[in-house]
Amino acid sequence: MKQLLLVFIGGGFGSVLRYAIGKYLNSPETGIPYGTFAANILGSLLIGIILGLAAKNDALSQNQTLLLATGFCGGFTTFSTFAYENHMFLKSGDFTSFAIYTIASFVIGFLAVFLGLFLVK
């Protein structure tokens, strides 16, 4: 039960922070989801750091990892919003934004995870 509560609390904080970032960075004028992109990239970096610390000499406990990686990063990053925003690009015929957003999210997201892991080595 304690582990579920830790994931719940971390997820709540992550979701609220993602909402705030999206509210201030997503551009209603251009429709470009800078906030979602920033949250997903920052979350990728954070999960790399968190899981790297967890693997390195057991620097984080299982409960800390659940709170931070599963909870916070799980609530902070969002594949469903990413998928919906890409759907909107395709629906509007904006294939350039769709391609740039999708490729940049995957490539930079993976690089951010690798960077996070590298930083704690």
Side-chain angles (χ1 to χ4, degrees):
M1 188 63 151
K2 178 181 177 182
Q3 293 173 328
L4 290 175
L5 185 60
L6 289 170
V7 172
F8 176 76
I9 291 169
F13 279 112
S15 295
V16 168
L17 185 56
R18 181 188 70 230
Y19 171 77
I21 288 174
K23 183 169 176 55
Y24 292 105
L25 292 182
N26 285 351
S27 174
E29 293 84 26
T30 65
I32 298 175
Y34 295 113
T36 305
F37 181 77
N40 285 337
I41 300 307
L42 183 56
S44 296
L45 176 64
L46 286 173
I47 204 165
I49 291 170
I50 292 163
L51 294 178
L53 286 172
K56 184 179 183 181
N57 302 324
D58 294 321
L60 294 176
S61 71
Q62 181 182 6
N63 286 340
Q64 290 170 320
T65 303
L66 282 172
L67 174 73
L68 298 171
T70 306
F72 181 80
C73 289
F76 185 59
T77 60
T78 174
F79 188 76
S80 57
T81 302
F82 168 76
Y84 175 75
E85 289 163 346
N86 273 312
H87 165 76
M88 296 306 291
F89 282 139
L90 292 174
K91 185 176 175 182
S92 70
D94 190 352
F95 300 109
T96 302
S97 291
F98 166 77
I100 291 169
Y101 183 47
T102 300
I103 292 168
S105 293
F106 281 115
V107 171
I108 297 171
F110 281 118
L111 291 174
V113 169
F114 297 147
L115 176 62
L117 291 167
F118 175 77
L119 289 173
V120 297
K121 283 190 175 189

